[in-house]
Amino acid sequence: MIDYRFCPQCAAALAWTEALEDGGVKARLRCAACGFTHWNNPTPVLAAVVECADRGGQLLLARNAAWSGRMFALITGCMEAGETPQEGIAREVLEETSVQVDGVDLIGVYDFQRMNQVIIAYHALARGEVRLSPELAEYKLYAPEDLVCWPAGTGYALAAWLRRRGIEPRFMDLPRRG
Ligand SMILES: [Zn+2]
């Protein structure tokens, strides 16, 4: 999503330049001075359907402090270097909500091209008292059958998990952010 202006290796200006790659001729931001290419590959983003084992299996959704409106969504975050996706999502859930994750299992991998991201979604079984990080404004606990999914990456992940539990997901009409 970000169009960098300068080369991170040598600080020369980047320019849209065509070059022959394995897949054919392709224009990308490239550095004429040192040969650096800004590939702009999608960023993996971790997401969790957090099931609270000590609250009757209710799901924890949270509202980001930076969002307008009152939308509640899955817990998400970026991977750190040197951790597995499973470790990363357990860390993000702990950092953002302070609940401890006992185990995770993969729901699926979802496309989110608007943000040039790919979402790796897990179900996380968690327990403990909820205390939100400043990044999150509030949270809600939902019985799984009461949830309404949104038509975007993490909403499809939630729908897939509900189907696994034998619940046919309902979708809201309005488009939402992932
Ligand atoms: Zn350069």
Side-chain angles (χ1 to χ4, degrees), residues 10-141:
C10 76
L14 295 174
W16 284 98
T17 310
E18 289 192 338
L20 183 61
E21 299 177 355
D22 290 347
V25 173
K26 180 93 179 167
R28 297 185 195 272
L29 283 173
R30 302 179 200 269
C31 175
C34 77
F36 172 82
T37 300
H38 175 46
W39 298 102
N40 198 30
N41 300 118
T43 304
V45 171
L46 305 170
V49 174
V50 177
E51 180 183 3
C52 298
D54 51 358
R55 289 181 183 78
Q58 291 184 98
L59 304 184
L60 186 159
L61 273 69
R63 183 171 73 79
N64 194 301
W67 296 351
S68 58
R70 295 196 76 240
M71 301 176 300
F72 289 80
L74 305 190
I75 302 300
T76 59
C78 288
M79 289 178 67
E80 297 279 6
E83 69 183 1
T84 66
Q86 294 87 346
E87 290 166 348
I89 194 58
R91 175 186 52 75
E92 284 288 347
V93 170
L94 180 66
E95 286 176 3
E96 294 191 12
T97 68
S98 86
V99 298
Q100 191 74 40
V101 173
D102 294 338
V104 297
D105 61 293
L106 183 68
I107 299 173
V109 175
Y110 297 85
D111 176 61
F112 195 30
Q113 290 184 28
R114 186 167 63 78
M115 295 293 286
N116 194 28
Q117 293 172 347
V118 59
I119 295 163
I120 307 171
Y122 289 93
H123 164 239
L125 195 61
R127 66 186 70 242
E129 190 190 334
V130 181
R131 288 189 308 275
L132 297 182
S133 79
E135 198 177 313
L136 299 176
E138 56 180 322
Y139 72 95
K140 274 188 184 173
L141 296 170

